Short mmCIF file of all heavy atoms in Angstrom, two decimals:
data_model
loop_
_atom_site.label_atom_id
_atom_site.label_comp_id
_atom_site.label_asym_id
_atom_site.label_seq_id
_atom_site.Cartn_x
_atom_site.Cartn_y
_atom_site.Cartn_z
N MET A 26 0.85 -1.18 0.00
CA MET A 26 0.00 0.00 0.00
C MET A 26 0.89 1.24 0.00
O MET A 26 1.89 1.30 0.71
CB MET A 26 -0.91 -0.01 1.23
CG MET A 26 -2.00 1.05 1.17
SD MET A 26 -3.14 0.92 2.56
CE MET A 26 -2.26 1.83 3.79
N THR A 27 0.54 2.20 -0.80
CA THR A 27 1.29 3.45 -0.84
C THR A 27 0.61 4.47 0.05
O THR A 27 -0.60 4.66 -0.01
CB THR A 27 1.36 4.00 -2.28
OG1 THR A 27 1.93 3.01 -3.12
CG2 THR A 27 2.20 5.25 -2.33
N ASN A 28 1.41 5.14 0.86
CA ASN A 28 0.87 6.15 1.75
C ASN A 28 1.48 7.49 1.37
O ASN A 28 2.66 7.72 1.56
CB ASN A 28 1.18 5.81 3.20
CG ASN A 28 0.57 6.81 4.16
OD1 ASN A 28 -0.33 7.55 3.79
ND2 ASN A 28 1.09 6.85 5.37
N THR A 29 0.70 8.36 0.80
CA THR A 29 1.21 9.69 0.46
C THR A 29 0.72 10.68 1.49
O THR A 29 -0.42 10.59 1.98
CB THR A 29 0.73 10.13 -0.94
OG1 THR A 29 -0.69 10.05 -0.98
CG2 THR A 29 1.32 9.23 -2.01
N HIS A 30 1.56 11.62 1.84
CA HIS A 30 1.22 12.56 2.88
C HIS A 30 1.72 13.94 2.46
O HIS A 30 2.88 14.10 2.11
CB HIS A 30 1.89 12.13 4.18
CG HIS A 30 1.23 12.68 5.40
ND1 HIS A 30 0.16 12.07 6.01
CD2 HIS A 30 1.46 13.80 6.11
CE1 HIS A 30 -0.22 12.79 7.05
NE2 HIS A 30 0.54 13.85 7.13
N VAL A 31 0.84 14.91 2.49
CA VAL A 31 1.22 16.26 2.11
C VAL A 31 1.77 16.98 3.34
O VAL A 31 1.16 16.94 4.40
CB VAL A 31 0.00 17.02 1.57
CG1 VAL A 31 0.39 18.44 1.18
CG2 VAL A 31 -0.58 16.29 0.38
N LEU A 32 2.92 17.61 3.18
CA LEU A 32 3.52 18.35 4.28
C LEU A 32 3.81 19.78 3.85
O LEU A 32 4.04 20.04 2.66
CB LEU A 32 4.84 17.70 4.71
CG LEU A 32 4.75 16.33 5.37
CD1 LEU A 32 6.13 15.74 5.55
CD2 LEU A 32 4.04 16.44 6.71
N PRO A 33 3.83 20.71 4.81
CA PRO A 33 4.27 22.06 4.49
C PRO A 33 5.71 22.03 3.98
O PRO A 33 6.48 21.13 4.29
CB PRO A 33 4.18 22.79 5.83
CG PRO A 33 3.22 21.98 6.63
CD PRO A 33 3.42 20.56 6.21
N VAL A 34 6.06 23.06 3.22
CA VAL A 34 7.41 23.17 2.68
C VAL A 34 8.19 24.20 3.49
O VAL A 34 7.73 25.33 3.67
CB VAL A 34 7.35 23.60 1.20
CG1 VAL A 34 8.75 23.76 0.63
CG2 VAL A 34 6.54 22.59 0.39
N ILE A 35 9.34 23.80 3.99
CA ILE A 35 10.17 24.71 4.79
C ILE A 35 11.37 25.15 3.95
O ILE A 35 12.13 24.32 3.47
CB ILE A 35 10.68 24.02 6.07
CG1 ILE A 35 9.51 23.47 6.88
CG2 ILE A 35 11.50 25.01 6.91
CD1 ILE A 35 9.95 22.63 8.08
N GLU A 36 11.50 26.47 3.80
CA GLU A 36 12.64 27.02 3.06
C GLU A 36 13.70 27.46 4.08
O GLU A 36 13.61 28.54 4.66
CB GLU A 36 12.19 28.21 2.20
CG GLU A 36 13.29 28.88 1.43
CD GLU A 36 14.10 27.91 0.59
OE1 GLU A 36 13.54 27.32 -0.34
OE2 GLU A 36 15.30 27.75 0.89
N LEU A 37 14.67 26.60 4.32
CA LEU A 37 15.63 26.85 5.40
C LEU A 37 16.51 28.06 5.14
O LEU A 37 17.06 28.64 6.08
CB LEU A 37 16.49 25.61 5.63
CG LEU A 37 15.76 24.42 6.29
CD1 LEU A 37 16.71 23.25 6.44
CD2 LEU A 37 15.19 24.81 7.65
N SER A 38 16.65 28.47 3.90
CA SER A 38 17.48 29.65 3.62
C SER A 38 16.83 30.93 4.17
O SER A 38 17.51 31.93 4.37
CB SER A 38 17.73 29.78 2.12
OG SER A 38 16.52 30.05 1.44
N LEU A 39 15.53 30.88 4.41
CA LEU A 39 14.83 32.04 4.98
C LEU A 39 14.67 31.94 6.49
O LEU A 39 14.37 32.92 7.16
CB LEU A 39 13.43 32.16 4.35
CG LEU A 39 13.36 32.39 2.84
CD1 LEU A 39 11.90 32.35 2.38
CD2 LEU A 39 13.99 33.72 2.48
N CYS A 40 14.88 30.77 7.03
CA CYS A 40 14.60 30.49 8.44
C CYS A 40 15.62 31.17 9.36
O CYS A 40 16.83 31.10 9.11
CB CYS A 40 14.63 28.97 8.65
SG CYS A 40 14.46 28.46 10.36
N ILE A 41 15.12 31.82 10.42
CA ILE A 41 16.01 32.47 11.40
C ILE A 41 16.08 31.66 12.69
O ILE A 41 16.52 32.15 13.72
CB ILE A 41 15.55 33.91 11.70
CG1 ILE A 41 14.09 33.92 12.19
CG2 ILE A 41 15.72 34.80 10.48
CD1 ILE A 41 13.62 35.27 12.72
N ARG A 42 15.62 30.43 12.65
CA ARG A 42 15.75 29.48 13.78
C ARG A 42 15.04 29.99 15.04
O ARG A 42 15.54 29.80 16.15
CB ARG A 42 17.23 29.24 14.11
CG ARG A 42 17.94 28.24 13.23
CD ARG A 42 18.09 28.70 11.81
NE ARG A 42 19.05 27.85 11.08
CZ ARG A 42 19.06 27.72 9.76
NH1 ARG A 42 18.20 28.38 9.01
NH2 ARG A 42 19.94 26.95 9.19
N CYS A 43 13.88 30.62 14.88
CA CYS A 43 13.19 31.17 16.05
C CYS A 43 12.39 30.12 16.81
O CYS A 43 12.07 30.29 17.98
CB CYS A 43 12.28 32.31 15.63
SG CYS A 43 10.82 31.77 14.69
N GLY A 44 12.03 29.04 16.15
CA GLY A 44 11.30 27.97 16.82
C GLY A 44 9.81 28.18 16.93
O GLY A 44 9.10 27.36 17.52
N ALA A 45 9.31 29.27 16.38
CA ALA A 45 7.87 29.57 16.50
C ALA A 45 7.00 28.50 15.86
O ALA A 45 5.94 28.15 16.38
CB ALA A 45 7.57 30.93 15.89
N CYS A 46 7.45 27.96 14.76
CA CYS A 46 6.65 26.95 14.06
C CYS A 46 6.50 25.69 14.90
O CYS A 46 5.40 25.14 15.03
CB CYS A 46 7.28 26.62 12.70
SG CYS A 46 9.02 26.14 12.80
N ALA A 47 7.60 25.25 15.48
CA ALA A 47 7.55 24.04 16.30
C ALA A 47 6.69 24.27 17.55
O ALA A 47 5.93 23.40 17.96
CB ALA A 47 8.97 23.61 16.70
N ALA A 48 6.81 25.46 18.13
CA ALA A 48 6.02 25.78 19.32
C ALA A 48 4.53 25.85 19.00
O ALA A 48 3.70 25.52 19.83
CB ALA A 48 6.50 27.10 19.92
N ALA A 49 4.21 26.28 17.80
CA ALA A 49 2.80 26.46 17.44
C ALA A 49 2.14 25.20 16.94
O ALA A 49 0.91 25.12 16.92
CB ALA A 49 2.69 27.55 16.36
N CYS A 50 2.91 24.22 16.54
CA CYS A 50 2.32 23.01 15.94
C CYS A 50 1.51 22.23 16.97
O CYS A 50 2.06 21.69 17.93
CB CYS A 50 3.42 22.12 15.37
SG CYS A 50 2.76 20.60 14.64
N PRO A 51 0.20 22.17 16.80
CA PRO A 51 -0.65 21.50 17.80
C PRO A 51 -0.46 19.99 17.84
O PRO A 51 -0.83 19.35 18.82
CB PRO A 51 -2.07 21.87 17.36
CG PRO A 51 -1.96 22.17 15.91
CD PRO A 51 -0.58 22.73 15.69
N GLU A 52 0.12 19.45 16.79
CA GLU A 52 0.29 18.00 16.72
C GLU A 52 1.71 17.55 17.06
O GLU A 52 2.02 16.36 17.02
CB GLU A 52 -0.06 17.50 15.31
CG GLU A 52 -1.41 17.97 14.80
CD GLU A 52 -2.55 17.48 15.67
OE1 GLU A 52 -2.41 16.43 16.30
OE2 GLU A 52 -3.59 18.18 15.71
N HIS A 53 2.58 18.52 17.33
CA HIS A 53 4.01 18.22 17.58
C HIS A 53 4.63 17.48 16.40
O HIS A 53 5.54 16.67 16.57
CB HIS A 53 4.19 17.41 18.87
CG HIS A 53 3.58 18.07 20.06
ND1 HIS A 53 4.05 19.25 20.61
CD2 HIS A 53 2.48 17.73 20.80
CE1 HIS A 53 3.29 19.60 21.62
NE2 HIS A 53 2.33 18.71 21.77
N ALA A 54 4.10 17.77 15.23
CA ALA A 54 4.69 17.19 14.02
C ALA A 54 6.02 17.86 13.70
O ALA A 54 6.94 17.24 13.19
CB ALA A 54 3.72 17.35 12.85
N LEU A 55 6.09 19.14 14.00
CA LEU A 55 7.31 19.92 13.79
C LEU A 55 8.08 20.01 15.09
O LEU A 55 7.50 20.19 16.15
CB LEU A 55 6.97 21.34 13.34
CG LEU A 55 6.90 21.66 11.84
CD1 LEU A 55 6.50 23.11 11.65
CD2 LEU A 55 8.21 21.37 11.15
N ALA A 56 9.40 19.95 14.99
CA ALA A 56 10.26 20.14 16.15
C ALA A 56 11.53 20.82 15.69
O ALA A 56 11.79 20.93 14.49
CB ALA A 56 10.57 18.79 16.80
N MET A 57 12.29 21.32 16.65
CA MET A 57 13.58 21.92 16.31
C MET A 57 14.67 20.89 16.54
O MET A 57 14.76 20.28 17.60
CB MET A 57 13.84 23.16 17.18
CG MET A 57 12.86 24.31 16.94
SD MET A 57 12.90 24.97 15.25
CE MET A 57 14.44 25.91 15.29
N ASP A 58 15.52 20.70 15.54
CA ASP A 58 16.65 19.79 15.68
C ASP A 58 17.68 20.44 16.60
O ASP A 58 18.10 21.58 16.36
CB ASP A 58 17.25 19.50 14.30
CG ASP A 58 18.40 18.52 14.40
OD1 ASP A 58 18.13 17.33 14.58
OD2 ASP A 58 19.56 18.96 14.32
N ILE A 59 18.07 19.74 17.64
CA ILE A 59 18.96 20.31 18.64
C ILE A 59 20.33 20.66 18.05
O ILE A 59 20.89 21.72 18.32
CB ILE A 59 19.12 19.34 19.84
CG1 ILE A 59 17.78 19.22 20.57
CG2 ILE A 59 20.20 19.82 20.80
CD1 ILE A 59 17.75 18.16 21.65
N GLU A 60 20.85 19.79 17.24
CA GLU A 60 22.21 20.01 16.72
C GLU A 60 22.27 21.12 15.68
O GLU A 60 23.13 22.00 15.74
CB GLU A 60 22.76 18.71 16.13
CG GLU A 60 23.09 17.70 17.21
CD GLU A 60 24.00 16.62 16.72
OE1 GLU A 60 24.39 16.64 15.54
OE2 GLU A 60 24.34 15.74 17.53
N SER A 61 21.35 21.07 14.72
CA SER A 61 21.40 22.06 13.63
C SER A 61 20.55 23.29 13.92
O SER A 61 20.64 24.28 13.20
CB SER A 61 20.94 21.41 12.32
OG SER A 61 19.58 21.02 12.41
N ASP A 62 19.72 23.21 14.98
CA ASP A 62 18.83 24.32 15.35
C ASP A 62 17.92 24.71 14.19
O ASP A 62 17.68 25.89 13.94
CB ASP A 62 19.66 25.53 15.82
CG ASP A 62 18.82 26.51 16.64
OD1 ASP A 62 17.86 26.05 17.28
OD2 ASP A 62 19.12 27.70 16.63
N THR A 63 17.43 23.72 13.49
CA THR A 63 16.51 23.97 12.38
C THR A 63 15.23 23.16 12.58
O THR A 63 15.25 22.08 13.19
CB THR A 63 17.14 23.58 11.03
OG1 THR A 63 17.59 22.23 11.10
CG2 THR A 63 18.29 24.49 10.67
N PRO A 64 14.12 23.66 12.05
CA PRO A 64 12.87 22.91 12.17
C PRO A 64 12.88 21.69 11.25
O PRO A 64 13.44 21.73 10.15
CB PRO A 64 11.81 23.92 11.74
CG PRO A 64 12.53 24.89 10.88
CD PRO A 64 13.94 24.95 11.36
N PHE A 65 12.27 20.63 11.74
CA PHE A 65 12.16 19.42 10.91
C PHE A 65 10.89 18.68 11.32
O PHE A 65 10.31 18.95 12.38
CB PHE A 65 13.39 18.52 11.05
CG PHE A 65 13.43 17.74 12.35
CD1 PHE A 65 13.21 16.36 12.35
CD2 PHE A 65 13.66 18.37 13.55
CE1 PHE A 65 13.24 15.64 13.53
CE2 PHE A 65 13.70 17.65 14.75
CZ PHE A 65 13.48 16.28 14.73
N PHE A 66 10.48 17.77 10.48
CA PHE A 66 9.26 17.01 10.77
C PHE A 66 9.62 15.79 11.60
O PHE A 66 10.06 14.77 11.09
CB PHE A 66 8.54 16.62 9.47
CG PHE A 66 7.89 17.80 8.82
CD1 PHE A 66 8.52 18.48 7.78
CD2 PHE A 66 6.66 18.27 9.26
CE1 PHE A 66 7.93 19.59 7.20
CE2 PHE A 66 6.07 19.38 8.70
CZ PHE A 66 6.70 20.04 7.66
N ALA A 67 9.43 15.94 12.90
CA ALA A 67 9.73 14.84 13.83
C ALA A 67 8.66 13.75 13.72
O ALA A 67 8.95 12.58 13.89
CB ALA A 67 9.80 15.39 15.26
N LYS A 68 7.43 14.17 13.46
CA LYS A 68 6.32 13.22 13.32
C LYS A 68 5.49 13.62 12.10
O LYS A 68 4.38 14.15 12.25
CB LYS A 68 5.44 13.20 14.58
CG LYS A 68 6.11 12.61 15.80
CD LYS A 68 5.12 12.28 16.89
CE LYS A 68 4.41 13.50 17.41
NZ LYS A 68 3.41 13.20 18.45
N PRO A 69 6.01 13.41 10.92
CA PRO A 69 5.31 13.86 9.72
C PRO A 69 3.92 13.27 9.57
O PRO A 69 3.01 13.92 9.06
CB PRO A 69 6.24 13.40 8.57
CG PRO A 69 7.14 12.37 9.17
CD PRO A 69 7.28 12.73 10.61
N GLU A 70 3.75 12.06 10.06
CA GLU A 70 2.43 11.42 9.94
C GLU A 70 1.38 12.09 10.81
O GLU A 70 0.18 11.90 10.60
CB GLU A 70 2.55 9.92 10.31
CG GLU A 70 2.75 9.62 11.79
CD GLU A 70 4.18 9.84 12.28
OE1 GLU A 70 5.06 10.18 11.46
OE2 GLU A 70 4.41 9.69 13.49
N ALA A 71 1.83 12.91 11.76
CA ALA A 71 0.88 13.57 12.66
C ALA A 71 0.37 14.90 12.10
O ALA A 71 -0.61 15.45 12.61
CB ALA A 71 1.54 13.83 14.02
N CYS A 72 1.00 15.39 11.04
CA CYS A 72 0.61 16.69 10.47
C CYS A 72 -0.79 16.61 9.89
O CYS A 72 -1.11 15.74 9.09
CB CYS A 72 1.61 17.11 9.41
SG CYS A 72 1.14 18.64 8.56
N THR A 73 -1.61 17.57 10.31
CA THR A 73 -2.99 17.65 9.80
C THR A 73 -3.13 18.74 8.74
O THR A 73 -4.24 19.03 8.31
CB THR A 73 -3.96 17.94 10.95
OG1 THR A 73 -3.59 19.18 11.56
CG2 THR A 73 -3.94 16.83 11.99
N TYR A 74 -2.00 19.36 8.38
CA TYR A 74 -2.00 20.44 7.39
C TYR A 74 -2.89 21.60 7.84
O TYR A 74 -3.62 22.19 7.06
CB TYR A 74 -2.44 19.90 6.02
CG TYR A 74 -1.74 20.58 4.85
CD1 TYR A 74 -0.39 20.32 4.58
CD2 TYR A 74 -2.40 21.46 4.03
CE1 TYR A 74 0.26 20.93 3.53
CE2 TYR A 74 -1.76 22.08 2.97
CZ TYR A 74 -0.43 21.81 2.72
OH TYR A 74 0.20 22.43 1.66
N CYS A 75 -2.79 21.91 9.13
CA CYS A 75 -3.65 22.95 9.69
C CYS A 75 -3.20 24.36 9.31
O CYS A 75 -3.93 25.31 9.50
CB CYS A 75 -3.71 22.81 11.22
SG CYS A 75 -2.15 23.23 12.05
N THR A 76 -1.97 24.49 8.85
CA THR A 76 -1.32 25.73 8.39
C THR A 76 -0.94 26.69 9.52
O THR A 76 -0.58 27.83 9.27
CB THR A 76 -2.16 26.51 7.33
OG1 THR A 76 -3.28 27.14 7.96
CG2 THR A 76 -2.63 25.58 6.21
N GLU A 77 -1.00 26.23 10.78
CA GLU A 77 -0.59 27.07 11.90
C GLU A 77 0.87 27.50 11.78
O GLU A 77 1.24 28.63 12.07
CB GLU A 77 -0.79 26.33 13.23
CG GLU A 77 -2.20 26.34 13.74
CD GLU A 77 -2.68 27.72 14.14
OE1 GLU A 77 -1.90 28.46 14.77
OE2 GLU A 77 -3.81 28.07 13.82
N CYS A 78 1.72 26.56 11.36
CA CYS A 78 3.15 26.87 11.25
C CYS A 78 3.39 27.94 10.20
O CYS A 78 4.21 28.84 10.39
CB CYS A 78 3.95 25.60 10.94
SG CYS A 78 3.36 24.67 9.50
N GLU A 79 2.67 27.85 9.12
CA GLU A 79 2.79 28.87 8.06
C GLU A 79 2.36 30.24 8.61
O GLU A 79 2.99 31.25 8.33
CB GLU A 79 1.90 28.49 6.88
CG GLU A 79 1.94 29.47 5.73
CD GLU A 79 0.97 29.11 4.62
OE1 GLU A 79 -0.18 28.73 4.92
OE2 GLU A 79 1.37 29.15 3.45
N ALA A 80 1.32 30.24 9.41
CA ALA A 80 0.76 31.51 9.92
C ALA A 80 1.71 32.20 10.89
O ALA A 80 1.77 33.43 10.93
CB ALA A 80 -0.59 31.25 10.59
N VAL A 81 2.45 31.44 11.70
CA VAL A 81 3.27 32.07 12.73
C VAL A 81 4.68 32.39 12.27
O VAL A 81 5.38 33.17 12.94
CB VAL A 81 3.35 31.20 14.02
CG1 VAL A 81 1.97 30.97 14.61
CG2 VAL A 81 4.07 29.89 13.75
N CYS A 82 5.12 31.85 11.19
CA CYS A 82 6.52 32.05 10.78
C CYS A 82 6.75 33.52 10.39
O CYS A 82 6.12 34.02 9.46
CB CYS A 82 6.88 31.15 9.61
SG CYS A 82 8.59 31.42 9.06
N PRO A 83 7.65 34.21 11.08
CA PRO A 83 7.89 35.63 10.78
C PRO A 83 8.64 35.85 9.48
O PRO A 83 8.73 36.98 9.00
CB PRO A 83 8.74 36.09 11.98
CG PRO A 83 9.45 34.86 12.43
CD PRO A 83 8.50 33.72 12.18
N GLN A 84 9.17 34.80 8.92
CA GLN A 84 9.98 34.91 7.71
C GLN A 84 9.26 34.41 6.45
O GLN A 84 9.85 34.40 5.37
CB GLN A 84 11.25 34.07 7.89
CG GLN A 84 12.20 34.58 8.95
CD GLN A 84 12.80 35.91 8.56
OE1 GLN A 84 12.44 36.94 9.10
NE2 GLN A 84 13.69 35.90 7.59
N ASN A 85 8.05 33.95 6.62
CA ASN A 85 7.36 33.28 5.50
C ASN A 85 8.21 32.15 4.94
O ASN A 85 8.24 31.93 3.72
CB ASN A 85 7.00 34.27 4.39
CG ASN A 85 5.90 35.22 4.82
OD1 ASN A 85 4.99 34.85 5.56
ND2 ASN A 85 5.99 36.46 4.38
N ALA A 86 8.88 31.46 5.85
CA ALA A 86 9.77 30.37 5.43
C ALA A 86 9.01 29.06 5.29
O ALA A 86 9.56 28.09 4.78
CB ALA A 86 10.90 30.21 6.44
N ILE A 87 7.78 29.03 5.77
CA ILE A 87 6.97 27.82 5.66
C ILE A 87 5.77 28.11 4.77
O ILE A 87 5.06 29.10 4.98
CB ILE A 87 6.48 27.32 7.03
CG1 ILE A 87 7.66 27.05 7.95
CG2 ILE A 87 5.63 26.06 6.88
CD1 ILE A 87 7.31 26.40 9.25
N GLN A 88 5.58 27.28 3.81
CA GLN A 88 4.46 27.44 2.89
C GLN A 88 3.63 26.17 2.87
O GLN A 88 4.17 25.07 2.83
CB GLN A 88 4.98 27.72 1.47
CG GLN A 88 5.87 28.94 1.35
CD GLN A 88 5.11 30.25 1.50
OE1 GLN A 88 3.98 30.35 1.05
NE2 GLN A 88 5.72 31.24 2.13
N CYS A 89 2.32 26.37 2.90
CA CYS A 89 1.39 25.27 2.70
C CYS A 89 0.69 25.55 1.36
O CYS A 89 -0.39 26.16 1.33
CB CYS A 89 0.38 25.20 3.84
SG CYS A 89 1.12 24.87 5.45
N PRO A 90 1.31 25.18 0.28
CA PRO A 90 0.84 25.64 -1.03
C PRO A 90 -0.44 24.97 -1.52
O PRO A 90 -1.05 25.45 -2.47
CB PRO A 90 2.00 25.31 -1.96
CG PRO A 90 2.71 24.18 -1.30
CD PRO A 90 2.54 24.39 0.18
N LEU A 91 -0.82 23.90 -0.88
CA LEU A 91 -2.02 23.21 -1.34
C LEU A 91 -3.24 23.64 -0.54
O LEU A 91 -3.15 23.90 0.66
CB LEU A 91 -1.86 21.69 -1.21
CG LEU A 91 -0.70 21.07 -1.99
CD1 LEU A 91 -0.67 19.58 -1.76
CD2 LEU A 91 -0.83 21.39 -3.47
N THR A 92 -4.36 23.72 -1.20
CA THR A 92 -5.62 23.98 -0.51
C THR A 92 -6.42 22.69 -0.49
O THR A 92 -6.69 22.10 -1.53
CB THR A 92 -6.45 25.06 -1.24
OG1 THR A 92 -5.68 26.25 -1.30
CG2 THR A 92 -7.75 25.33 -0.50
N ILE A 93 -6.75 22.26 0.71
CA ILE A 93 -7.50 21.02 0.85
C ILE A 93 -8.94 21.37 1.24
O ILE A 93 -9.18 22.06 2.22
CB ILE A 93 -6.87 20.10 1.91
CG1 ILE A 93 -5.45 19.72 1.49
CG2 ILE A 93 -7.72 18.85 2.12
CD1 ILE A 93 -4.71 18.89 2.49
N THR A 94 -9.85 20.92 0.45
CA THR A 94 -11.27 21.18 0.75
C THR A 94 -12.02 19.85 0.82
O THR A 94 -11.66 18.88 0.16
CB THR A 94 -11.92 22.07 -0.31
OG1 THR A 94 -11.76 21.46 -1.60
CG2 THR A 94 -11.28 23.45 -0.34
N TRP A 95 -13.03 19.86 1.65
CA TRP A 95 -13.86 18.67 1.77
C TRP A 95 -15.24 19.00 1.22
O TRP A 95 -15.74 20.10 1.42
CB TRP A 95 -14.00 18.26 3.24
CG TRP A 95 -12.80 17.60 3.81
CD1 TRP A 95 -12.57 16.27 3.95
CD2 TRP A 95 -11.65 18.25 4.36
NE1 TRP A 95 -11.34 16.05 4.53
CE2 TRP A 95 -10.76 17.24 4.79
CE3 TRP A 95 -11.26 19.58 4.52
CZ2 TRP A 95 -9.53 17.53 5.37
CZ3 TRP A 95 -10.04 19.86 5.08
CH2 TRP A 95 -9.19 18.84 5.50
N GLY A 96 -15.80 18.07 0.54
CA GLY A 96 -17.14 18.32 0.01
C GLY A 96 -17.66 17.08 -0.67
O GLY A 96 -16.97 16.06 -0.76
N THR A 97 -18.86 17.17 -1.17
CA THR A 97 -19.44 16.04 -1.87
C THR A 97 -19.23 16.20 -3.36
O THR A 97 -19.25 17.32 -3.87
CB THR A 97 -20.94 15.92 -1.58
OG1 THR A 97 -21.55 17.17 -1.87
CG2 THR A 97 -21.21 15.56 -0.13
N GLN A 98 -19.02 15.10 -3.99
CA GLN A 98 -18.79 15.13 -5.43
C GLN A 98 -20.13 15.11 -6.15
O GLN A 98 -21.02 14.37 -5.77
CB GLN A 98 -17.97 13.90 -5.83
CG GLN A 98 -17.11 14.13 -7.04
CD GLN A 98 -16.15 12.99 -7.26
OE1 GLN A 98 -16.27 11.94 -6.64
NE2 GLN A 98 -15.20 13.17 -8.14
N GLU A 99 -20.26 15.96 -7.15
CA GLU A 99 -21.54 16.00 -7.87
C GLU A 99 -21.55 14.99 -9.00
O GLU A 99 -20.55 14.66 -9.54
CB GLU A 99 -21.77 17.40 -8.41
CG GLU A 99 -22.00 18.40 -7.28
CD GLU A 99 -22.36 19.78 -7.84
OE1 GLU A 99 -22.78 19.86 -9.00
OE2 GLU A 99 -22.23 20.74 -7.09
S1 LIG B 103 0.48 22.22 9.18
FE1 LIG B 103 -0.21 22.19 11.35
S2 LIG B 103 0.09 20.08 12.02
FE2 LIG B 103 1.28 20.33 10.13
S3 LIG B 103 3.36 20.90 10.82
FE3 LIG B 103 2.23 22.82 10.47
S4 LIG B 103 1.34 23.39 12.46
FE4 LIG B 103 1.95 21.21 12.54
S1 LIG B 104 8.88 29.88 12.45
FE1 LIG B 104 9.92 30.18 10.45
S2 LIG B 104 11.80 31.27 10.95
FE2 LIG B 104 11.03 30.37 12.87
S3 LIG B 104 12.05 28.37 13.06
FE3 LIG B 104 10.09 28.03 12.00
S4 LIG B 104 10.59 28.14 9.78
FE4 LIG B 104 12.29 29.08 10.92
#
C-alpha cells in the first residue's frame, strides 16, 4: 500500500531558527533539531496540514501551497 502525505514546505534559507513553528504546531509534528537548530518534521504522519506553522513564521519560510477542501462530489 502506498501512503502519500502532504507536508508544508520549509525554506531553510529564509529560516532564522526562532522555533515559533515548532512551538505552534498543535500535533508536535514539527520540532527543532537540537544540533542544527533547524525545524524538521519529527512526526510527519501527525501533520494535519492545519497551516498554523505557516501563519506564525515571521519569515514566511513555511508554505502550505495546497488547498484542501472537503465536500461532496456532484
Ligand atoms: S500544518 Fe499544522 S500540524 Fe502540520 S506541521 Fe504545520 S502546524 Fe503542525
Ligand atoms: S517559524 Fe519560520 S523562521 Fe522560525 S524556526 Fe520556523 S521556519 Fe524558521
Side-chain angles (χ1 to χ4, degrees):
M26 191 175 84
T27 303
N28 183 18
T29 55
H30 202 86
V31 179
L32 292 172
V34 178
I35 305 173
E36 178 53 65
L37 288 179
S38 65
L39 298 175
C40 175
I41 57 171
R42 279 66 167 157
C43 70
C46 54
C50 179
E52 309 298 333
H53 305 292
L55 267 178
M57 295 298 285
D58 182 75
I59 293 172
E60 288 198 0
S61 64
D62 199 29
T63 53
F65 76 109
F66 288 97
K68 291 195 297 178
E70 72 282 357
C72 176
T73 59
Y74 215 72
C75 69
T76 73
E77 280 293 318
C78 53
E79 180 184 43
V81 300
C82 179
Q84 294 293 107
N85 290 325
I87 302 187
Q88 302 288 324
C89 297
L91 300 180
T92 302
I93 299 177
T94 56
W95 285 263
T97 53
Q98 209 170 11
E99 293 185 19

